[in-house]
Amino acid sequence: MKIDRREVLVVGAGAAALASLPLTAMAQDGAAEKTADELIAEFTGGAEVAEGDGVTLTAPEIAENGNTVPISVEAEGASEILVLAPGNPTPPVATFKFGELAGAHMASTRIRLAETQDVVAVAKLADGSFVRTSSNVKVTIGGCGG
Amino acid sequence: MADNVKPRVRVPKTASKDEVIQIKTLISHPMESGQRKDKDGNVIPRSIINRFHVTFNGTDVLDVAMDPAISTNPYFEFEAKVPESGEFVFTWYDDDGSVYEDKHSVEVS
């Protein structure tokens, strides 16, 4: 079989298109699969995170249905609170930013948990320092479909 | 666009000056996480509300960045201070570009 210039060009273009596909797909996966630690580092800008005092995370000890787990975060004077579920396929849950007219700096919502895990909350306090806390939630039925 | 998206908000109608009031919001939305698969094993694409923003007379109260781990029919409960009579504006931003808005006035006596 004779391969002329035209055919070589067509085959080459196809191969190039194929090669570029997996690359972009991988890049997107990478963005979605940041670990909890990376997300915390991004949130704090690398600043040190103290344990405990200043931020409260209220979550049930046992959640029968991982599809809707009520949680509540509170941190007095905090400007932002980041909530993470490191055991989920995608760890970020929500970031709460409190404005000037926020009352107590608290918020409640309902979240999905895929499995039993420690839910993490990191708060940025008024003085710019960061504190974190975590709460273990036992999940009977995971909430991510599957 | 997700069907039948309906915001429901509970705000007291009256308050005293600088009172901290409790607000509850719920919006009906499937919050498709992008993790689930249909019968044939195809991933159902993500379709969620990714931001919830509350202002009072134009001043920020709460701004939430939401990820797929927020449950179906996202519910939020929080507190706000009312310095004067005015209007709360609640805005939800959908992945598909839709914006849902609800407004509630509070009378300060």
Side-chain angles (χ1 to χ4, degrees):
Chain A
M1 188 183 124
K2 200 180 132 205
I3 300 173
D4 63 15
R5 180 172 169 277
R6 190 163 302 236
E7 272 173 284
V8 169
L9 277 178
V10 169
V11 170
L18 271 178
S20 66
L21 268 178
L23 268 179
T24 48
M26 266 164 63
Q28 278 169 2
D29 281 353
E33 285 176 13
K34 276 185 193 159
T35 65
D37 286 342
E38 281 168 4
L39 286 160
I40 292 173
E42 204 171 274
F43 179 68
T44 60
E48 211 163 288
V49 182
E51 280 286 333
D53 278 359
V55 56
T56 319
L57 170 67
T58 315
E61 253 175 61
I62 297 175
E64 278 178 16
N65 181 357
N67 259 318
T68 167
V69 183
I71 62 148
S72 165
V73 286
E74 178 162 15
E76 203 179 324
S79 56
E80 289 181 46
I81 303 179
L82 169 76
V83 181
L84 296 172
N88 278 8
T90 54
V93 175
T95 312
F96 299 93
K97 282 190 191 129
F98 297 102
E100 237 175 274
L101 287 178
H105 288 197
M106 63 80 68
S108 305
T109 186
R110 296 171 189 153
I111 67 170
R112 292 182 176 129
L113 295 175
E115 57 187 32
T116 298
Q117 58 183 285
D118 289 324
V119 179
V120 178
V122 186
K124 183 180 186 184
L125 300 182
D127 60 3
S129 65
F130 294 91
V131 287
R132 65 175 279 172
T133 186
S134 63
S135 174
N136 186 264
V137 182
K138 291 189 170 62
V139 177
T140 320
I141 303 167
C144 280
Chain B
M1 175 176 160
D3 297 330
N4 299 324
V5 174
K6 188 178 175 209
R8 295 184 184 86
V9 175
R10 187 180 292 174
V11 182
K13 284 210 165 52
T14 58
S16 49
K17 189 176 157 52
D18 286 334
E19 189 184 341
V20 172
I21 58 170
Q22 191 180 54
I23 297 176
K24 294 177 178 178
T25 70
L26 187 134
I27 184 164
S28 47
H29 192 281
M31 294 292 281
E32 194 55 66
S33 68
Q35 300 288 336
R36 296 200 309 155
K37 288 175 180 163
D38 63 15
K39 288 194 294 255
D40 308 323
N42 304 314
V43 172
I44 305 171
R46 170 183 139 154
S47 170
I48 67 166
I49 293 175
N50 54 44
R51 183 173 171 223
F52 172 50
H53 188 207
V54 184
T55 59
F56 181 72
N57 286 350
T59 310
D60 269 5
V61 176
L62 183 71
D63 192 347
V64 187
M66 295 156 68
D67 290 290
I70 298 288
S71 298
T72 304
N73 302 339
Y75 165 82
F76 289 101
E77 184 182 325
F78 55 93
E79 290 177 351
K81 199 155 99 178
V82 279
E84 68 218 359
S85 295
E87 189 177 54
F88 281 101
V89 179
F90 305 88
T91 321
W92 290 262
Y93 298 85
D94 198 306
D95 265 356
D96 66 11
S98 312
V99 174
Y100 317 109
E101 201 175 73
D102 201 5
K103 294 176 180 176
H104 280 261
S105 299
V106 177
E107 199 69 42
V108 167
S109 46

